[in-house]
Amino acid sequence: MKAILTLIIAWFIFFKTTADEGMWIPMLLHQSTIQKMKEKGFKLSAEDIYSINKASMKDAVVLFGRGCTGEFISDQGLLLTNHHCGYGSIQRHSTLEHDYLSDGFWAKSLQEELPNPGLTVSLLVRMEDVTDYVLNNVTPQITEAKREETIQAAIQQLKAKYSENNRYQVEIKPFYYGNQYFMYIYEVFKDVRLVGTPPSSIGKFGGDTDNWMWPRHTGDFSLFRVYANKNNEPAEYSPDNVPYKPKKHFPISLKGVKENDFTMVFGFPGTTQQYIPSYAIDLIQNIENPHQIKLRDIRLQIIKSAMDTSRLIRIQYANKQASIANSWKKWIGENEGLKRLQTIKKKQDFEKQFINWAAMDPDRALVYEKILPTFQNVYEQIKPLQLIETYYFEALFAVEIIQFCSNVNQLLESKNFANAYENFLNRHKSFFKNYQPAIDKLTFEKMMAAFVVIISKEYTPKTLLQLKKKFKNNWKNVSEYVFNNSILLNTSKLESLKTSDEKNIRKILQNDIFFKIWIEAKNIFNNTILPPMKWYQTQIDSLNRIYIRGQMELLSDKDFYPDANLTLRISYGTISSYNPSDGIHYHWQTTIDGIIEKDDTTIYDYIVPKKLKELWKDKDYGPYGENGTLPVCFIANNHTTGGNSGSPVLNANGELIGCNFDRTWESTMSDLHYDPYRCRNICLDIRYMLFIIDKFANAKHLINEMTIVQ
């Protein structure tokens, strides 16, 4: 009896799901979930959130680009997302003459809105559970390889059937590690134009220092507009396109917020791994993260030093630096959180109880008793390979000119060489627009020095080994040599080669030292590292599929929300302060007063625009202020992750009160282990956005097309 009681307690401690935890499928909001939401204040129905019979909230939420969320805030296709989600587009439009990163941009009319080739917005038409169809021919006796082949065949059949001759984009995603499958049908809009963005001194205020931190004072938003053809259908960019008319857009609330108010985040969370075993956490915490952090730290120091010397370099490398730094800082916080929560130990404790539970019944034992020892063996085998993969992607392929060699390979494999070479030159020109060889040269020196220390000779490109020997392991001299002897760094020579014959061009490019490193690395990775990695990952996927089924069987009363996989989800909770550590309490809201307190003209990320200071001094907040100040950000306990950036934050009436843009430092481990006491998502107060558009940017015409609820 005591053993059973211990088992129940262990289950409860590790698997207790609070009402605020979880990323729920909008189509499957059961009455129990809606009831829990209503207990926190929600006033609408499940059909108001997701419906295929009438306009619902899902018709106002989009996948922005490849990994953010956006939402419609007018009936003219006006779209809100984060400043950091639109950052790449803003950076590409920026030049020394038109520095939209530093100065901001506000189109005064539709004609001034800026096109963004390659940027897409995906709107969910509907979703459907297709598990029975996908797994119809999968039997218990089938091998993993045959299982995957059978599943992919079924998926391709569904895509062919429901894409309607490419009118729709169809995706079939696995849930619970392949125990369930859902089909998502999207309309993909390809004409998305930049409408407005505050300067980085507002949209990125606090920079990397404040990233992942609270308190926060960042106006992290940008505005785009989705265009369609005259039939309101997706179309390639054309001057004849017109603003898209969505079925629904979110009304914006000016009522304000307070602690304990209901909040709902609706968006496209990217990846979580809540149900993996302790061995997977150990791999992440003790192998992947430490080495990734170390290598990115070196790169960031190089880039920051260069950006501090030149305004042009700051523009060129702003998006690259932000991208590198974002994950780097997240991994640091994630590791601290995993250690603080003792996640590995808690997983191990549960795993012992899982094995005991499995052993209590002969039929269960047959299925589950060996699963954890098998996990342990597979993860021991994959550890050294994972380390090699980390150094390939975070060190070797982190060198920009080596990355660019994939374009050289594409050219060399082309059958129509003349046209391909012209395209190659255009890609090279685009590459050099935001490239500084001096930065890459120092990166090469530091990354290769780190690479050869960790990676054995059998996994190292032959050319690197030859260079190491020739220059006696002096990677500064190696770097000088390779950067002085590559045609890929000589634009004029590449241009002049157009008049040469194809055979000669191929010979020159194939012998380029960077291409030789790239092709050797590619062959080693694809032929030596990737096959066993794939094999072990297949084993892990199979084990995870069985393991989560066992967890669901063991904890039959628990609501198991599926891990995030960049599909539409809701999370709900309340505005909530928290205690990050002993003796420290964080308030749930920040105001413009905090921006002024942080003002520091000697630090780029803390320079407050003159006009913003004047508005603060005059207390000129219009209808957006409250209690003599102006709200800027707030925190809530919604369960979010990457991909939720830009997600609408909604009140109990389904009105927009904020825009989700980050998590707190103490929340970064929530992809692996959610802590209800410390995990908080950070939201831009929608009133601060309206204030910036209206009072700071004088773009009242944008306010006028929104639906404002007093």
Side-chain angles (χ1 to χ4, degrees):
M1 185 68 185
K2 185 178 178 181
I4 295 174
L5 180 61
T6 302
L7 180 57
I8 292 171
I9 292 171
W11 295 341
F12 181 80
I13 290 173
F14 193 77
F15 280 101
K16 180 178 181 292
T17 301
T18 69
D20 301 326
E21 180 183 354
M23 300 173 179
W24 306 97
I25 301 172
M27 190 184 85
L28 298 180
L29 289 175
H30 302 299
Q31 187 57 42
S32 61
T33 308
I34 288 293
Q35 182 58 38
K36 290 175 184 176
M37 294 170 67
K38 287 183 179 294
E39 289 170 4
K40 289 184 172 293
F42 187 58
K43 297 178 182 178
L44 302 176
S45 68
E47 194 173 20
D48 290 318
I49 296 172
Y50 178 93
S51 176
I52 59 173
N53 299 313
K54 67 172 188 175
S56 60
M57 291 183 197
K58 66 100 173 160
D59 298 308
V61 183
V62 301
L63 177 63
F64 182 86
R66 297 179 181 177
C68 278
T69 301
E71 57 270 10
F72 289 116
I73 55 173
S74 87
D75 61 2
Q76 296 297 309
L78 189 63
L79 193 75
L80 168 64
T81 190
N82 287 156
H83 182 270
H84 75 260
C85 292
Y87 202 64
S89 297
I90 301 164
Q91 187 270 334
R92 282 186 286 274
H93 285 297
S94 295
T95 63
L96 287 173
E97 294 75 25
H98 299 288
D99 186 356
Y100 299 137
L101 286 175
S102 297
D103 303 331
F105 168 79
W106 302 96
K108 296 177 182 178
S109 65
L110 296 179
Q111 290 71 32
E112 292 185 5
E113 295 174 359
L114 301 176
N116 298 280
L119 177 61
T120 61
V121 156
S122 301
L123 178 64
L124 180 66
V125 178
R126 67 181 180 89
M127 60 182 294
E128 180 181 335
D129 187 336
V130 292
T131 306
D132 290 345
Y133 188 91
V134 172
L135 299 181
N136 182 51
N137 294 316
V138 173
T139 63
Q141 297 77 25
I142 201 170
T143 65
E144 280 298 312
K146 187 63 177 176
R147 183 182 193 276
E148 183 61 21
E149 181 184 324
T150 303
I151 287 171
Q152 288 305 316
I155 285 174
Q156 292 307 314
Q157 291 167 8
L158 287 170
K159 286 184 175 181
K161 180 179 179 180
Y162 289 99
S163 66
E164 295 189 14
N165 294 320
N166 297 320
R167 179 184 176 188
Y168 298 113
Q169 178 176 301
V170 179
E171 292 185 3
I172 289 86
K173 292 285 188 82
F175 287 75
Y176 305 111
Y177 293 97
N179 284 296
Q180 193 172 13
Y181 286 83
F182 279 85
M183 177 172 66
Y184 292 80
I185 299 175
Y186 296 97
E187 285 187 307
V188 180
F189 294 85
K190 299 179 180 180
D191 188 351
V192 184
R193 306 183 196 181
L194 178 63
V195 176
T197 177
S200 290
S201 53
I202 290 174
K204 204 173 182 290
F205 183 76
D208 292 324
T209 304
D210 280 7
N211 191 22
W212 300 105
M213 306 301 285
W214 183 259
R216 200 66 170 274
H217 300 86
T218 312
D220 196 346
F221 78 94
S222 55
L223 299 178
F224 290 77
R225 194 182 304 278
V226 177
Y227 280 74
N229 63 23
K230 292 179 180 178
N231 295 320
N232 208 39
E233 299 167 336
E236 298 287 345
Y237 169 80
S238 169
D240 297 327
N241 286 345
V242 295
Y244 173 67
K245 295 185 181 298
K247 294 178 182 177
K248 182 175 178 61
H249 67 278
F250 287 116
I252 297 174
S253 173
L254 281 184
K255 298 173 187 175
V257 294
K258 61 183 184 300
E259 189 162 20
N260 298 320
D261 277 357
F262 174 86
T263 55
M264 184 176 90
V265 173
F266 204 175
F268 290 83
T271 304
T272 59
Q273 301 177 83
Q274 299 291 330
Y275 310 110
I276 55 178
S278 61
Y279 313 106
I281 300 293
D282 177 62
L283 179 65
I284 293 166
Q285 180 181 313
N286 298 316
I287 301 294
E288 290 181 31
N289 283 357
H291 288 279
Q292 290 175 150
I293 291 165
K294 180 185 73 173
L295 293 169
R296 289 204 175 194
D297 188 53
I298 296 168
R299 292 165 64 195
L300 286 167
Q301 289 179 34
I302 293 169
I303 293 172
K304 184 181 185 302
S305 295
M307 289 175 71
D308 288 343
T309 67
S310 164
R311 183 166 157 252
L312 174 61
I313 295 175
R314 181 173 290 280
I315 293 171
Q316 289 177 318
Y317 276 77
N319 192 45
K320 297 176 187 178
Q321 188 267 353
S323 178
I324 296 167
N326 190 56
S327 296
W328 164 79
K329 194 168 184 179
K330 188 253 188 182
W331 293 325
I332 295 172
E334 182 174 79
N335 261 24
E336 289 188 7
L338 292 172
K339 291 173 185 176
R340 182 183 67 246
L341 293 174
Q342 297 183 302
T343 302
I344 292 176
K345 183 181 183 304
K346 288 177 180 175
K347 292 264 187 184
Q348 288 171 339
D349 289 344
F350 171 75
E351 288 160 5
K352 291 174 185 175
Q353 305 299 339
F354 183 90
I355 291 173
N356 290 339
W357 166 80
M360 290 177 186
D361 180 274
D363 291 334
R364 286 205 303 257
L366 195 63
V367 179
Y368 300 123
E369 194 172 32
K370 293 183 180 179
I371 192 164
L372 286 159
T374 308
F375 261 131
Q376 183 178 16
N377 179 61
V378 172
Y379 273 103
E380 283 301 316
Q381 299 300 319
I382 206 172
K383 269 184 181 179
L385 292 169
Q386 186 62 59
L387 182 63
I388 296 168
E389 182 181 75
T390 296
Y391 272 78
Y392 260 73
F393 285 95
E394 293 293 335
L396 198 151
F397 291 136
V399 179
E400 291 181 80
I401 196 64
I402 294 178
Q403 288 180 44
F404 182 78
C405 287
S406 63
N407 293 289
V408 178
N409 191 60
Q410 185 178 341
L411 168 64
L412 294 173
E413 291 181 346
S414 174
K415 294 179 180 178
N416 188 341
F417 194 83
N419 288 343
Y421 194 73
E422 198 63 46
N423 292 332
F424 168 77
L425 290 177
N426 289 333
R427 288 195 296 274
H428 189 267
K429 182 179 179 181
S430 177
F431 171 76
F432 259 80
K433 179 180 181 291
N434 293 309
Y435 178 71
Q436 290 288 336
I439 294 176
D440 214 24
K441 182 163 69 171
L442 187 54
T443 300
F444 178 91
E445 174 193 334
K446 300 299 183 183
M447 291 298 100
M448 295 310 104
F451 184 91
V452 297
V453 168
I454 298 294
I455 306 304
S456 61
K457 291 182 179 180
E458 62 183 305
Y459 297 114
T460 302
K462 181 177 69 175
T463 299
L464 281 182
L465 292 174
Q466 292 170 344
L467 290 167
K468 177 186 177 184
K469 183 178 180 180
K470 179 178 180 178
F471 290 94
K472 299 179 181 179
N473 207 28
N474 186 324
W475 288 97
K476 182 175 182 179
N477 290 346
V478 172
S479 190
E480 286 286 344
Y481 173 79
V482 295
F483 273 77
N484 287 334
N485 287 277
S486 171
I487 193 172
L488 297 178
L489 296 164
N490 194 322
T491 306
S492 59
K493 278 190 178 181
L494 284 174
E495 189 72 31
S496 66
L497 278 180
K498 283 197 298 186
T499 59
S500 186
D501 64 274
E502 179 181 331
K503 185 178 179 180
N504 184 49
I505 298 174
R506 286 181 178 276
K507 182 179 179 180
I508 290 171
L509 291 175
Q510 286 169 344
N511 289 320
D512 183 87
I513 198 157
F514 287 119
F515 181 73
K516 288 170 72 175
I517 293 170
W518 182 88
I519 196 70
E520 289 165 7
K522 174 177 173 285
N523 289 336
I524 291 171
F525 188 82
N526 287 347
N527 299 328
T528 309
I529 302 166
L530 197 57
M533 283 286 288
K534 280 185 173 180
W535 190 86
Y536 287 125
Q537 191 57 56
T538 298
Q539 304 308 306
I540 290 170
D541 289 344
S542 175
L543 291 168
N544 276 328
R545 188 171 65 251
I546 299 167
Y547 186 42
I548 195 169
R549 199 162 62 229
Q551 294 175 56
M552 296 170 103
E553 184 180 332
L554 186 157
L555 302 168
S556 57
D557 292 336
K558 169 184 160 62
D559 288 331
F560 277 78
Y561 59 89
D563 274 321
N565 58 0
L566 206 62
T567 56
L568 194 60
R569 307 289 182 88
I570 73 155
S571 61
Y572 64 93
T574 56
I575 294 174
S576 180
S577 57
Y578 75 111
N579 300 318
S581 58
D582 184 47
I584 298 176
H585 177 78
Y586 280 148
H587 190 59
W588 59 272
Q589 184 184 56
T590 60
T591 70
I592 194 173
D593 299 332
I595 295 176
I596 303 304
E597 289 171 3
K598 287 182 175 179
D599 182 30
D600 188 338
T601 56
T602 66
I603 302 175
Y604 179 82
D605 290 329
Y606 291 105
I607 298 173
V608 179
K610 180 181 177 182
K611 184 171 182 180
L612 189 61
K613 287 192 278 190
E614 290 172 351
L615 290 165
W616 168 81
K617 183 179 179 181
D618 296 338
K619 299 291 184 284
D620 186 8
Y621 305 138
Y624 317 113
E626 181 180 68
N627 299 323
T629 188
L630 178 69
V632 174
C633 297
F634 62 85
I635 50 173
N637 56 15
N638 302 91
H639 194 176
T640 62
T641 186
N644 277 125
S645 291
S647 294
V649 184
L650 306 164
N651 65 14
N653 298 312
E655 299 160 347
L656 196 64
I657 55 173
C659 185
N660 189 80
F661 71 90
D662 207 352
R663 284 174 284 169
T664 60
W665 181 251
E666 297 79 18
S667 305
T668 48
M669 76 294 158
S670 64
D671 293 346
L672 305 165
H673 188 171
Y674 183 84
D675 177 8
Y677 302 105
R678 289 187 178 90
C679 287
R680 298 293 182 269
N681 58 307
I682 304 176
C683 315
L684 169 72
D685 193 304
I686 207 67
R687 292 170 292 176
Y688 185 56
M689 180 199 78
L690 295 173
F691 163 80
I692 293 298
I693 296 171
D694 186 352
K695 294 289 186 175
F696 182 84
N698 296 318
K700 187 79 173 182
H701 61 287
L702 296 175
I703 302 288
N704 291 339
E705 68 172 280
M706 303 175 195
T707 303
I708 308 293
V709 179
Q710 297 293 333

PDB file of all heavy atoms in Angstrom, residues 226-239:
ATOM      1  N   VAL A 226      -1.853  42.764 -45.684  1.00  0.00           N
ATOM      2  CA  VAL A 226      -1.970  41.638 -46.611  1.00  0.00           C
ATOM      3  C   VAL A 226      -2.795  42.080 -47.808  1.00  0.00           C
ATOM      4  O   VAL A 226      -3.871  42.681 -47.646  1.00  0.00           O
ATOM      5  CB  VAL A 226      -2.629  40.428 -45.920  1.00  0.00           C
ATOM      6  CG1 VAL A 226      -2.815  39.280 -46.902  1.00  0.00           C
ATOM      7  CG2 VAL A 226      -1.799  39.986 -44.728  1.00  0.00           C
ATOM      8  N   TYR A 227      -2.277  41.784 -48.998  1.00  0.00           N
ATOM      9  CA  TYR A 227      -2.968  42.134 -50.243  1.00  0.00           C
ATOM     10  C   TYR A 227      -3.436  40.869 -50.953  1.00  0.00           C
ATOM     11  O   TYR A 227      -2.829  39.799 -50.836  1.00  0.00           O
ATOM     12  CB  TYR A 227      -2.038  42.927 -51.157  1.00  0.00           C
ATOM     13  CG  TYR A 227      -1.916  44.392 -50.784  1.00  0.00           C
ATOM     14  CD1 TYR A 227      -1.178  44.790 -49.674  1.00  0.00           C
ATOM     15  CD2 TYR A 227      -2.558  45.384 -51.535  1.00  0.00           C
ATOM     16  CE1 TYR A 227      -1.067  46.129 -49.326  1.00  0.00           C
ATOM     17  CE2 TYR A 227      -2.456  46.732 -51.197  1.00  0.00           C
ATOM     18  CZ  TYR A 227      -1.705  47.092 -50.088  1.00  0.00           C
ATOM     19  OH  TYR A 227      -1.609  48.419 -49.752  1.00  0.00           O
ATOM     20  N   ALA A 228      -4.518  41.014 -51.702  1.00  0.00           N
ATOM     21  CA  ALA A 228      -5.096  39.906 -52.460  1.00  0.00           C
ATOM     22  C   ALA A 228      -5.499  40.403 -53.842  1.00  0.00           C
ATOM     23  O   ALA A 228      -5.442  41.607 -54.128  1.00  0.00           O
ATOM     24  CB  ALA A 228      -6.314  39.352 -51.720  1.00  0.00           C
ATOM     25  N   ASN A 229      -5.926  39.470 -54.694  1.00  0.00           N
ATOM     26  CA  ASN A 229      -6.433  39.911 -55.992  1.00  0.00           C
ATOM     27  C   ASN A 229      -7.848  40.482 -55.822  1.00  0.00           C
ATOM     28  O   ASN A 229      -8.381  40.534 -54.711  1.00  0.00           O
ATOM     29  CB  ASN A 229      -6.396  38.774 -57.016  1.00  0.00           C
ATOM     30  CG  ASN A 229      -7.296  37.601 -56.629  1.00  0.00           C
ATOM     31  OD1 ASN A 229      -8.254  37.746 -55.861  1.00  0.00           O
ATOM     32  ND2 ASN A 229      -6.999  36.434 -57.174  1.00  0.00           N
ATOM     33  N   LYS A 230      -8.464  40.862 -56.914  1.00  0.00           N
ATOM     34  CA  LYS A 230      -9.767  41.531 -56.818  1.00  0.00           C
ATOM     35  C   LYS A 230     -10.890  40.604 -56.371  1.00  0.00           C
ATOM     36  O   LYS A 230     -11.985  41.062 -56.034  1.00  0.00           O
ATOM     37  CB  LYS A 230     -10.096  42.187 -58.162  1.00  0.00           C
ATOM     38  CG  LYS A 230      -9.150  43.354 -58.462  1.00  0.00           C
ATOM     39  CD  LYS A 230      -9.419  44.013 -59.795  1.00  0.00           C
ATOM     40  CE  LYS A 230      -8.444  45.159 -60.037  1.00  0.00           C
ATOM     41  NZ  LYS A 230      -8.635  45.814 -61.354  1.00  0.00           N
ATOM     42  N   ASN A 231     -10.583  39.285 -56.334  1.00  0.00           N
ATOM     43  CA  ASN A 231     -11.556  38.318 -55.810  1.00  0.00           C
ATOM     44  C   ASN A 231     -11.283  37.964 -54.354  1.00  0.00           C
ATOM     45  O   ASN A 231     -11.843  37.007 -53.825  1.00  0.00           O
ATOM     46  CB  ASN A 231     -11.542  37.049 -56.665  1.00  0.00           C
ATOM     47  CG  ASN A 231     -12.009  37.295 -58.087  1.00  0.00           C
ATOM     48  OD1 ASN A 231     -12.954  38.058 -58.316  1.00  0.00           O
ATOM     49  ND2 ASN A 231     -11.337  36.671 -59.041  1.00  0.00           N
ATOM     50  N   ASN A 232     -10.399  38.746 -53.736  1.00  0.00           N
ATOM     51  CA  ASN A 232     -10.028  38.538 -52.328  1.00  0.00           C
ATOM     52  C   ASN A 232      -9.319  37.208 -52.109  1.00  0.00           C
ATOM     53  O   ASN A 232      -9.408  36.597 -51.047  1.00  0.00           O
ATOM     54  CB  ASN A 232     -11.257  38.628 -51.416  1.00  0.00           C
ATOM     55  CG  ASN A 232     -10.904  39.086 -50.006  1.00  0.00           C
ATOM     56  OD1 ASN A 232     -10.053  39.959 -49.811  1.00  0.00           O
ATOM     57  ND2 ASN A 232     -11.546  38.508 -49.014  1.00  0.00           N
ATOM     58  N   GLU A 233      -8.555  36.777 -53.130  1.00  0.00           N
ATOM     59  CA  GLU A 233      -7.826  35.516 -53.064  1.00  0.00           C
ATOM     60  C   GLU A 233      -6.324  35.781 -53.048  1.00  0.00           C
ATOM     61  O   GLU A 233      -5.866  36.815 -53.542  1.00  0.00           O
ATOM     62  CB  GLU A 233      -8.163  34.647 -54.277  1.00  0.00           C
ATOM     63  CG  GLU A 233      -9.631  34.262 -54.383  1.00  0.00           C
ATOM     64  CD  GLU A 233      -9.974  33.672 -55.735  1.00  0.00           C
ATOM     65  OE1 GLU A 233      -9.248  33.954 -56.717  1.00  0.00           O
ATOM     66  OE2 GLU A 233     -10.965  32.926 -55.814  1.00  0.00           O
ATOM     67  N   PRO A 234      -5.535  34.854 -52.494  1.00  0.00           N
ATOM     68  CA  PRO A 234      -4.081  35.023 -52.512  1.00  0.00           C
ATOM     69  C   PRO A 234      -3.549  35.181 -53.929  1.00  0.00           C
ATOM     70  O   PRO A 234      -4.049  34.553 -54.872  1.00  0.00           O
ATOM     71  CB  PRO A 234      -3.570  33.722 -51.883  1.00  0.00           C
ATOM     72  CG  PRO A 234      -4.709  33.220 -51.054  1.00  0.00           C
ATOM     73  CD  PRO A 234      -5.953  33.618 -51.797  1.00  0.00           C
ATOM     74  N   ALA A 235      -2.541  36.028 -54.078  1.00  0.00           N
ATOM     75  CA  ALA A 235      -1.951  36.267 -55.396  1.00  0.00           C
ATOM     76  C   ALA A 235      -0.508  36.719 -55.219  1.00  0.00           C
ATOM     77  O   ALA A 235      -0.133  37.251 -54.169  1.00  0.00           O
ATOM     78  CB  ALA A 235      -2.748  37.333 -56.149  1.00  0.00           C
ATOM     79  N   GLU A 236       0.297  36.492 -56.235  1.00  0.00           N
ATOM     80  CA  GLU A 236       1.653  37.035 -56.240  1.00  0.00           C
ATOM     81  C   GLU A 236       1.569  38.558 -56.226  1.00  0.00           C
ATOM     82  O   GLU A 236       0.547  39.153 -56.584  1.00  0.00           O
ATOM     83  CB  GLU A 236       2.412  36.565 -57.491  1.00  0.00           C
ATOM     84  CG  GLU A 236       2.608  35.061 -57.594  1.00  0.00           C
ATOM     85  CD  GLU A 236       3.642  34.527 -56.615  1.00  0.00           C
ATOM     86  OE1 GLU A 236       4.411  35.352 -56.058  1.00  0.00           O
ATOM     87  OE2 GLU A 236       3.670  33.300 -56.410  1.00  0.00           O
ATOM     88  N   TYR A 237       2.662  39.211 -55.833  1.00  0.00           N
ATOM     89  CA  TYR A 237       2.664  40.671 -55.777  1.00  0.00           C
ATOM     90  C   TYR A 237       2.273  41.279 -57.125  1.00  0.00           C
ATOM     91  O   TYR A 237       2.730  40.852 -58.183  1.00  0.00           O
ATOM     92  CB  TYR A 237       4.041  41.202 -55.383  1.00  0.00           C
ATOM     93  CG  TYR A 237       4.143  42.698 -55.575  1.00  0.00           C
ATOM     94  CD1 TYR A 237       3.606  43.571 -54.631  1.00  0.00           C
ATOM     95  CD2 TYR A 237       4.710  43.235 -56.733  1.00  0.00           C
ATOM     96  CE1 TYR A 237       3.656  44.941 -54.819  1.00  0.00           C
ATOM     97  CE2 TYR A 237       4.767  44.606 -56.928  1.00  0.00           C
ATOM     98  CZ  TYR A 237       4.231  45.459 -55.973  1.00  0.00           C
ATOM     99  OH  TYR A 237       4.266  46.818 -56.164  1.00  0.00           O
ATOM    100  N   SER A 238       1.420  42.258 -57.067  1.00  0.00           N
ATOM    101  CA  SER A 238       1.038  43.020 -58.252  1.00  0.00           C
ATOM    102  C   SER A 238       0.555  44.394 -57.810  1.00  0.00           C
ATOM    103  O   SER A 238      -0.132  44.515 -56.785  1.00  0.00           O
ATOM    104  CB  SER A 238      -0.088  42.308 -59.015  1.00  0.00           C
ATOM    105  OG  SER A 238      -0.634  43.169 -60.009  1.00  0.00           O
ATOM    106  N   PRO A 239       0.880  45.442 -58.565  1.00  0.00           N
ATOM    107  CA  PRO A 239       0.355  46.776 -58.248  1.00  0.00           C
ATOM    108  C   PRO A 239      -1.171  46.823 -58.294  1.00  0.00           C
ATOM    109  O   PRO A 239      -1.790  47.716 -57.705  1.00  0.00           O
ATOM    110  CB  PRO A 239       0.968  47.664 -59.341  1.00  0.00           C
ATOM    111  CG  PRO A 239       2.152  46.915 -59.836  1.00  0.00           C
ATOM    112  CD  PRO A 239       1.798  45.469 -59.722  1.00  0.00           C
TER     113      PRO A 239
END
